[in-house]
Coordinates of all heavy atoms in Angstrom, one line a residue:
G896 N 133.3 -10.1 49.8 CA 133.3 -9.0 50.8 C 133.0 -9.5 52.2 O 133.6 -9.1 53.1
A897 N 132.1 -10.5 52.3 CA 131.7 -11.0 53.6 C 132.8 -11.7 54.3 O 132.9 -11.7 55.5 CB 130.5 -11.9 53.5
T898 N 133.8 -12.3 53.6 CA 134.8 -13.1 54.2 C 136.0 -12.3 54.6 O 136.9 -12.9 55.2 CB 135.3 -14.2 53.3 OG1 135.8 -13.6 52.1 CG2 134.1 -15.1 52.9
S899 N 136.1 -11.0 54.2 CA 137.4 -10.3 54.5 C 137.1 -8.9 55.0 O 137.8 -8.0 54.8 CB 138.2 -10.2 53.2 OG 137.5 -9.6 52.2
A900 N 135.9 -8.7 55.7 CA 135.6 -7.4 56.3 C 136.5 -7.1 57.4 O 136.8 -5.9 57.6 CB 134.1 -7.4 56.7
S901 N 137.0 -8.0 58.1 CA 137.8 -7.7 59.3 C 138.9 -8.8 59.4 O 138.6 -10.0 59.3 CB 137.0 -7.7 60.6 OG 137.9 -7.6 61.7
A902 N 140.1 -8.4 59.7 CA 141.2 -9.4 59.7 C 141.2 -10.1 61.1 O 141.8 -11.2 61.2 CB 142.6 -8.7 59.6
Q903 N 140.5 -9.6 62.0 CA 140.5 -10.2 63.3 C 139.5 -11.3 63.5 O 139.6 -12.1 64.4 CB 140.3 -9.2 64.4 CG 141.2 -8.0 64.4 CD 142.7 -8.5 64.5 OE1 142.9 -9.4 65.2 NE2 143.5 -7.8 63.8
S904 N 138.6 -11.4 62.6 CA 137.6 -12.5 62.6 C 138.2 -13.8 62.1 O 138.8 -13.8 61.0 CB 136.3 -12.2 61.8 OG 136.7 -12.0 60.5
D905 N 138.2 -14.8 63.0 CA 139.0 -16.0 62.6 C 138.1 -17.0 61.9 O 136.8 -17.0 62.0 CB 139.5 -16.7 63.9 CG 140.4 -15.8 64.7 OD1 141.1 -15.0 64.0 OD2 140.4 -15.9 65.9
S906 N 138.7 -17.9 61.2 CA 138.0 -19.1 60.7 C 137.6 -20.0 61.9 O 138.2 -19.9 63.0 CB 138.9 -19.9 59.7 OG 140.0 -20.3 60.4
P907 N 136.6 -20.9 61.7 CA 136.2 -21.7 62.8 C 137.4 -22.5 63.4 O 138.1 -23.2 62.7 CB 135.2 -22.6 62.2 CG 134.6 -21.9 61.0 CD 135.8 -21.1 60.5
T908 N 137.6 -22.3 64.6 CA 138.8 -22.9 65.3 C 138.5 -24.3 65.7 O 137.3 -24.6 66.0 CB 139.2 -22.1 66.5 OG1 138.1 -22.0 67.4 CG2 139.6 -20.7 66.1
A909 N 139.5 -25.1 65.8 CA 139.4 -26.4 66.2 C 139.2 -26.5 67.7 O 139.4 -25.5 68.4 CB 140.6 -27.3 65.8
A910 N 138.7 -27.6 68.2 CA 138.5 -27.8 69.6 C 139.9 -27.7 70.3 O 140.9 -28.1 69.7 CB 137.8 -29.1 69.9
P911 N 139.9 -27.2 71.6 CA 141.2 -27.2 72.3 C 141.8 -28.5 72.4 O 141.1 -29.5 72.5 CB 140.8 -26.6 73.6 CG 139.5 -25.9 73.4 CD 138.8 -26.6 72.3
A912 N 143.1 -28.5 72.4 CA 143.8 -29.8 72.6 C 143.5 -30.4 73.9 O 143.3 -29.8 74.9 CB 145.4 -29.5 72.4
P913 N 143.5 -31.7 73.9 CA 143.3 -32.4 75.2 C 144.3 -32.2 76.2 O 145.4 -31.8 75.9 CB 143.2 -33.9 74.8 CG 144.0 -34.0 73.5 CD 143.8 -32.7 72.8
A914 N 144.0 -32.4 77.4 CA 145.0 -32.2 78.5 C 146.2 -33.2 78.3 O 146.1 -34.2 77.7 CB 144.3 -32.5 79.9
A915 N 147.3 -32.8 79.0 CA 148.5 -33.6 78.9 C 148.3 -34.9 79.5 O 147.7 -35.1 80.6 CB 149.6 -32.8 79.6
S916 N 148.7 -35.9 78.8 CA 148.7 -37.3 79.3 C 150.1 -37.8 79.5 O 151.0 -37.0 79.5 CB 148.0 -38.2 78.3 OG 148.7 -38.3 77.1
S917 N 150.2 -39.1 79.8 CA 151.5 -39.6 80.1 C 152.4 -39.7 78.9 O 153.6 -39.9 79.0 CB 151.4 -41.0 80.7 OG 150.7 -41.9 79.8
A918 N 151.8 -39.6 77.7 CA 152.6 -39.7 76.5 C 152.6 -38.4 75.6 O 153.3 -38.4 74.6 CB 152.0 -40.8 75.6
S919 N 151.9 -37.4 76.0 CA 151.9 -36.1 75.2 C 151.7 -34.9 76.1 O 151.2 -35.0 77.3 CB 150.7 -36.2 74.2 OG 149.5 -36.2 74.9

C-alpha cells in the first residue's frame, strides 16, 4: 500500500544530465 498510494509520487530520480559539451 505504501508504494502505490499516489501515482504522482515518483521513484527517486537520477541527477540531472550534465550541461551540453562539445560532444553531447
